[in-house]
Amino acid sequence: ILDDLGGDFTDDRWKRGQKWLWKLMEKPESSLLGRVIAVLSFLFILISSVVMCLGTIPELQIEDADGNNVEHPTLDYIETVCIGWFTMEYILRLISSPN
């Protein structure tokens, strides 16, 4: 599978770990853990999209000290968790890149 990438995956410990991580992130069908991560990623995308839409509904917003409508803190917290997941996934993909 990785031969057609053109990357140099030698057999030292770092490269083996990088290869394992690459397969985990890019080929979810390669393992159960890969499938779980793929499903979690999809769920985080779905949750993030729903929360962003819910944040625009005036009835779900609260007023701050100045009387301005702002996003509910719970929705803000959920969005922050989603952004954390996306950032972690991006960094793992960057680390696992063969080039």
Side-chain angles (χ1 to χ4, degrees):
I1 294 173
L2 298 177
D3 294 336
D4 56 339
L5 284 177
D8 182 26
F9 283 114
T10 58
D11 286 335
D12 65 352
R13 180 176 279 190
W14 167 252
K15 292 294 183 179
R16 282 194 313 254
Q18 188 181 22
K19 181 179 179 180
W20 177 83
L21 187 58
W22 183 87
K23 286 175 71 175
L24 184 70
M25 301 304 291
E26 296 296 326
K27 303 286 184 185
E29 68 275 0
S30 68
S31 68
L32 177 62
L33 182 58
R35 288 185 201 110
V36 169
I37 290 174
V39 168
L40 280 175
S41 292
F42 176 76
L43 289 175
F44 273 105
I45 291 168
L46 184 64
I47 290 168
S48 178
S49 299
V50 169
V51 166
M52 280 200 287
C53 292
L54 289 175
T56 63
I57 299 173
E59 291 81 16
L60 296 178
Q61 296 176 346
I62 60 171
E63 287 188 13
D64 63 2
D66 298 328
N68 299 321
N69 283 344
V70 294
E71 189 173 284
H72 195 280
T74 303
L75 296 177
D76 194 36
Y77 176 76
I78 293 170
E79 186 62 28
T80 302
V81 170
C82 290
I83 290 170
W85 174 266
F86 299 144
T87 302
M88 181 197 65
E89 185 177 359
Y90 176 77
I91 290 170
L92 289 176
R93 288 177 188 273
L94 189 65
I95 290 170
S96 71
S97 174
N99 294 330

